[in-house]
Amino acid sequence: MTDNTFSANGWRPRIAGIVTAPVTRTLALLALCAAYIQGPLTKLFDFQSAIGEMEHFGLHPAAFFGVAVIAFELAASAMVISGFLRWLGAIALAVFTLLATFVAIRFWEMPSSMERMMATNAFFEHLGLAGAFVIVAITDLTNGPAK
């Protein structure tokens, strides 16, 4: 009798069962959208700071852009998490993330420093986040909107 507990055949089905479980998918999508839920809620509860952020990045009228960003991030996150037009919400967040990253994290304009290194890391982390949203869209369009 052979014990396959630690073999690829023994672990693969167990891992697949955990990774493909609906609760895992929901938690992963929630984690992917966490910044797009936390950010707008923070802006909503401190709208003056949201206006200040919009002004800092040269977006006018600042109040309009503040409301638009809050509504957009919450709506697109809800689409991704709920499965309702998930592909569209994911693509929208990917494009938004890319645009916002190039506007807000301009590490190449910073002098060499710890701040620049942190900004560089944040820039590339955001590129990865945008890529993850594209993968969500591809999966949704290819396999359908699994819950």
Side-chain angles (χ1 to χ4, degrees):
M1 185 178 270
T2 304
D3 181 10
N4 289 327
T5 304
F6 295 105
S7 70
N9 291 337
W11 278 99
R12 186 180 176 100
R14 290 181 184 111
I15 293 170
I18 293 167
V19 171
T20 61
V23 69
T24 304
R25 174 185 293 272
T26 300
L27 289 174
L29 292 170
L30 187 58
L32 184 61
C33 293
Y36 304 92
I37 297 168
Q38 174 272 328
L41 290 177
T42 300
K43 288 176 179 64
L44 192 61
F45 292 118
D46 186 2
F47 195 65
Q48 287 304 316
S49 291
I51 291 173
E53 181 181 16
M54 299 305 133
E55 289 172 345
H56 172 77
F57 292 116
L59 300 172
H60 299 284
F64 168 79
F65 279 102
V67 170
V69 167
I70 290 167
F72 168 77
E73 288 183 304
L74 290 175
S77 294
M79 292 167 72
V80 169
I81 295 165
S82 72
F84 175 75
L85 295 175
R86 177 176 288 139
W87 66 270
L88 182 59
I91 291 295
L93 285 171
V95 171
F96 174 81
T97 300
L98 285 176
L99 293 174
T101 299
F102 279 98
V103 168
I105 311 176
R106 303 170 68 89
F107 71 91
W108 55 90
E109 295 178 350
M110 303 169 91
S112 184
S113 65
M114 178 64 80
E115 186 179 341
R116 179 181 176 155
M117 185 178 73
M118 291 175 65
T120 302
N121 288 342
F123 181 90
F124 286 99
E125 288 168 358
H126 282 80
L127 291 184
L129 189 56
F133 279 118
V134 171
I135 291 170
V136 167
I138 290 168
T139 302
D140 195 63
L141 289 168
T142 304
N143 302 332
K147 290 282 178 173

